[in-house]
Amino acid sequence: MIGICDSGVGGLTILKDIHKRYPRLDITYYGDEANMPYGDKTKEELEKIFSDIKAYFKDKGCTDIIVACNTMCSAIEFNDDTIKIHDIITKTIDKLDTPKDKKVLVFATPFTIKKGRYQKGLAEKGYQSEGIALKDLARDIEDGIDKAVIKDKLYQEFRKHQDENIGAIILGCTHYPIYKDLFYEYYKVPVFDSLGLAFGLEDSDEKGAISLHMERSDKLAHFLKEYIGDIKL
Ligand code: DGL
């Protein structure tokens, strides 16, 4: 069994992607709504939260944890002798295949932008980039705020970052692929996210089971339907 975690619904984008590729893998999903949003927290707070989540997954007998949260991936260490912990940031950067003479815009939470793993990783590969912190977007998505309102707020932010030289966008928060279309619609350049990453997982023989550790309130019902769909829980 593997564990997938995020502060809320964002990591369901990764869960859905993994389940599609490994339909027989058992998955436990930890949506940490009690501590949402992670993007405003300190490194120490995030480390403490992750150690609790890790203990939860170990208790469940998980062999691997996919940290489906860029903010958490910007705060923690991945070395652990007792359980395999998978990062998504380096693998997301590796997906980029756009020309290097153009700038990459990275949209993410304030913590992720401040830590700068994307900006540093992109610079190492010869890309110029600009990190843009979206302080409300993850929370707004989590709260089920109307798409038209989200679009308005996002477009106000986008207008501050217009440039002929933009060649690609990275969605550096797993909540954002839910509204990937808004980023593409405005910038009309390739938009990269953390889906389709290779984690070296092995599918098992039995039919996989998925369990969710999250409050399944009404506000989340449409996300569960959209991101879990017909998956049997
Ligand atoms: N989905 C998360 C990420 O990838 C965290 C959003 C938040 O809780 O602020 O960064």
Side-chain angles (χ1 to χ4, degrees), residues 6-7 10 36-40 68-71 109 112 138 172-175:
D6 181 39
S7 61
M36 205 292 153
Y38 283 173
D40 300 340
C69 174
N70 294 269
T71 309
T109 66
T112 302
C173 170
T174 52
H175 280 71

Side-chain angles (χ1 to χ4, degrees), residues 134-150:
L134 297 175
K135 85 180 165 41
D136 298 334
L137 185 56
R139 173 91 265 173
D140 286 351
I141 290 173
E142 195 76 26
D143 287 348
I145 301 287
D146 203 60
K147 187 172 180 182
V149 177
I150 289 187

Side-chain angles (χ1 to χ4, degrees), residues 174-223:
T174 52
H175 280 71
Y176 301 174
I178 291 170
Y179 289 131
K180 188 172 180 171
D181 57 329
L182 296 178
F183 290 82
Y184 181 72
E185 196 179 277
Y186 188 89
Y187 285 105
K188 304 276 190 313
V189 296
V191 180
F192 293 86
D193 56 29
S194 303
L195 304 185
L197 306 181
F199 295 108
L201 303 170
E202 277 176 41
D203 222 352
S204 63
D205 299 334
E206 307 288 319
K207 186 167 167 29
I210 294 183
S211 58
L212 291 184
H213 174 86
M214 65 193 300
E215 183 196 318
R216 300 174 67 188
S217 58
D218 284 354
K219 77 169 193 216
L220 294 178
H222 68 286
F223 288 114

